[in-house]
Amino acid sequence: MLRLASSSPRRIQLLRLLQIPFESSVPNVDEQRFESPALAKAVAVARPGEVTVAADTEVGIDGESIGKPTDDSHAVALLATLSGREHEVRTEVLVVAASGARRQFAVRSRVTFRELSLRQIERYVGTGEPLDKAGGYAIQGEGRRLVDAYDGCLANITGLPLCHLYFALRRAGVVPRERPEIVCQAHFAFVCPVWRKAQRQGRALRDRAEYRSWSEDVSGLE
C-alpha cells in the first residue's frame, strides 16, 4: 500500500496521474514547528509495511521563506512582496519504503510575477484561492494570471515534482503504471522544456540532495 501524507487536492491529483493505488491521510502536524515539515508529515501517518510519500512546498525570496497567508490581509501583503519579482519555489519530498528506509530530497523552480496593482491583488485574494497556498497563490488556478514567467519543473511549483518522485518510488519498490513526462505534459497541456533534465536528476537521486530544475543550470545540484 502507498500512503500520501496529504489531503491537498493538488498533490492527490498529481499522484493519481502516475496510476498508482494509494490512500491519502491528513497529517496532524504544525508545519511551523519543524525544520523538515515533510519528515514530520511522513512520521505522523507512516504505517509498518507501507510506502509513505510526504511533501512540503515553500516560496522563498531574498533568502527568506514565505509561508501560507493567515488571512486576506496577510495574503495581500505576501503578493505585494512578490509583485514584479522573481522567487523560488522549493518542494521537499520524503519517501519512506516499506522497510522503513527513508529518501529525502528537494526540487527548486523559479517564478517571476507580473507587476501587480493593489486592485489586481485584492481581486485575486477575493477568490479565496490564496489562503492554503505557499506564497499565497496557485499557478495551476487563477494565480496563473499573476505569473509572468517560470523556469523549471511546473509540477514542482504545483506541489509534487513527478519526474523525481517517479524514480524515488521505484527505489522504494513501487512501480507507477504511467511515465511522468507523458502524463504531466498531458495534464498541464504544455511541452515541458526540462523533463529530460528532471529525469537525469531522478535517475541519480541522492538522499538529502537539492535539485535546481531550471533550464540553464547544468549540474542541477546545489
Side-chain angles (χ1 to χ4, degrees):
M1 170 62 70
L2 176 65
R3 187 166 301 278
L4 175 65
S6 177
S7 60
S8 162
R10 303 172 301 283
R11 292 197 177 108
I12 291 172
Q13 186 179 47
L14 286 171
L15 188 56
R16 281 176 177 165
L17 295 178
L18 297 180
Q19 290 293 304
I20 310 169
F22 71 93
E23 293 183 2
S24 62
S25 296
V26 181
N28 186 18
V29 169
D30 182 356
E31 298 177 14
Q32 297 182 347
R33 292 183 53 213
F34 296 92
E35 181 180 351
S36 173
L39 175 58
K41 292 175 186 179
V43 170
V45 306
R47 299 179 183 179
E50 292 185 351
V51 177
T52 304
V53 174
D56 182 73
T57 300
E58 62 180 13
V59 168
I61 190 167
D62 295 334
E64 298 291 332
S65 177
I66 296 178
K68 300 175 182 179
T70 55
D71 54 31
D72 285 357
S73 61
H74 188 203
V76 170
L78 292 183
L79 294 169
T81 299
L82 299 178
S83 174
R85 304 178 65 191
E86 180 183 274
H87 61 268
E88 280 193 10
V89 179
R90 176 184 183 269
T91 298
E92 179 188 35
V93 179
L94 192 134
V95 177
V96 183
S99 65
R102 298 173 179 173
R103 186 171 300 274
Q104 186 173 0
F105 60 93
V107 180
R108 298 175 184 262
S109 303
R110 300 192 297 200
V111 179
T112 302
F113 263 29
R114 304 179 188 276
E115 290 282 356
L116 303 171
S117 67
L118 180 58
R119 183 177 180 180
Q120 288 173 313
I121 292 174
E122 289 178 337
R123 185 183 299 122
Y124 175 59
V125 172
T127 67
E129 188 174 79
L131 290 184
D132 66 338
K133 312 296 190 303
Y137 75 97
I139 196 171
Q140 76 280 5
E142 289 300 310
R144 68 187 182 280
R145 304 181 189 277
L146 313 181
V147 174
D148 182 54
Y150 69 89
D151 194 0
C153 176
L154 178 57
N156 181 62
I157 300 170
T158 305
L160 202 60
L162 284 186
C163 285
H164 297 78
L165 177 62
Y166 173 87
F167 289 99
L169 287 172
R170 289 180 65 92
R171 293 187 183 193
V174 177
V175 182
R177 295 174 59 189
E178 297 287 351
R179 295 285 303 186
E181 73 277 12
I182 296 174
V183 293
C184 187
Q185 292 182 88
H187 174 70
F188 289 111
F190 81 135
V191 177
C192 178
V194 298
W195 71 265
R196 289 181 177 83
K197 176 178 182 176
Q199 295 231 331
R200 288 196 301 271
Q201 292 173 343
R203 290 189 182 95
L205 203 64
R206 296 186 294 109
D207 189 40
R208 299 186 180 276
E210 298 268 341
Y211 296 95
R212 298 188 185 104
S213 66
W214 47 81
S215 54
E216 72 270 22
D217 183 65
V218 177
S219 68
L221 297 176
E222 291 282 323

